[in-house]
Amino acid sequence: MAGCRFGQSMGSYVSWLYVFIKALYLLNVTGQFFILNSFIGSTYRWWGIDVLNALLAGENWQDSPIFPRLTLCDVPIRRLGDTPRYTLQCHLRINTYNEKIYLFIWWGFLLVSILTFFNFWYYLLVLICLPCTQENSVRHLLKQDRHENMVYSAKKRDRKLIKSFAEEALCKDGILLFWFIEGHAGPLIAREILGEIFDYYKGKMVNFVDFYIDS
């Protein structure tokens, strides 16, 4: 696929590296989720969901063997001349709190895993594989006063200039950079910076006749 090229000279090195980091995030949180399930017990793969279903049904959920609430304790009772030991049933209050903490962690890992999964595929498909993303992103940011007419222009030269600017000047790494600028500094800053770069690029392309021939 032409849109999935890799390399520093192709303008997609940082984008691929960014997606690779997203994949590591997904691997990390998924691995922690399965490790937590293994710690709780092999028969409790969906422990958090079972607990939620039990709560919604008004039932007490099944105790995990990792967090027993009741156990048998040998309690010495001092008497005159003797200290016998009695076996009594004890309630382990600390495990009640531990169970709630691990339940919160379980749901947290599950939620983060789902969000990370969709986030990874979003960047992989939209940023890397879809060829129209670059041009659409540039058109979105160029929707300001001095470039609005060119964005909505039906002239072949204007469409070709914007496409060339997006795919050959900015490339995928440039689009990713402006996504970061728009997300952290705001769309106004991103549009101003991109507008200045586009004006500079347009001035450079004046000497190329191909961009100024109407079809």
Side-chain angles (χ1 to χ4, degrees):
M1 184 179 295
C4 295
R5 296 177 301 174
F6 173 76
Q8 289 179 305
S9 61
M10 297 178 181
S12 60
Y13 178 78
V14 176
S15 299
W16 273 106
L17 186 61
Y18 185 71
V19 172
F20 176 70
I21 297 299
K22 293 286 185 181
L24 293 182
Y25 286 162
L26 179 61
L27 180 64
N28 177 43
V29 69
T30 304
Q32 292 189 62
F33 180 74
F34 282 106
I35 291 174
L36 179 62
N37 275 331
S38 299
F39 173 75
I40 294 173
S42 58
T43 59
Y44 296 87
R45 294 298 181 187
W46 301 106
W47 174 58
I49 296 179
D50 293 338
V51 170
L52 180 62
N53 291 333
L55 290 176
L56 294 177
E59 303 173 356
N60 291 326
W61 64 77
Q62 185 179 3
D63 292 349
S64 169
I66 303 298
F67 308 109
R69 299 183 210 166
L70 298 176
T71 187
L72 298 178
C73 305
D74 291 333
V75 181
I77 299 179
R78 182 172 299 178
R79 290 182 178 179
L80 183 62
D82 191 12
T83 307
R85 302 177 68 88
Y86 293 90
T87 300
L88 304 176
Q89 190 178 53
C90 302
H91 178 248
L92 303 178
R93 186 179 297 273
I94 187 64
N95 277 350
T96 303
Y97 297 116
N98 287 336
E99 192 174 33
K100 303 301 185 298
I101 293 173
Y102 273 85
L103 181 63
F104 176 79
I105 296 174
W106 191 95
W107 277 104
F109 278 158
L110 180 63
L111 179 61
V112 173
S113 298
I114 294 174
L115 294 178
T116 306
F117 174 81
F118 284 108
N119 183 261
F120 164 74
W121 282 106
Y122 171 80
Y123 277 97
L124 179 63
L125 296 177
V126 175
L127 178 63
I128 301 297
C129 296
L130 292 182
C132 60
T133 300
Q134 295 168 244
E135 184 177 353
N136 290 340
S137 297
V138 169
R139 288 182 177 275
H140 168 70
L141 291 175
L142 286 179
K143 289 179 181 178
Q144 49 186 315
D145 293 338
R146 68 178 187 271
H147 296 121
E148 186 175 4
N149 293 333
M150 180 172 289
V151 170
Y152 294 106
S153 175
K155 296 180 180 180
K156 180 180 178 180
R157 66 181 184 186
D158 293 337
R159 297 197 307 269
K160 190 175 181 181
L161 180 61
I162 293 177
K163 183 176 181 180
S164 174
F165 174 68
E167 296 180 356
E168 299 177 12
L170 291 181
C171 302
K172 297 183 185 301
D173 290 349
I175 297 299
L176 180 62
L177 174 62
F178 276 98
W179 283 3
F180 290 156
I181 295 175
E182 184 179 13
H184 292 83
L188 293 179
I189 302 298
R191 289 175 181 176
E192 286 296 326
I193 296 175
L194 185 66
E196 293 296 328
I197 298 176
F198 181 72
D199 288 338
Y200 177 81
Y201 179 79
K202 184 171 61 174
K204 287 288 187 180
M205 299 306 293
V206 170
N207 297 327
F208 291 85
V209 182
D210 292 344
F211 287 99
Y212 291 89
I213 298 178
D214 292 333
S215 59

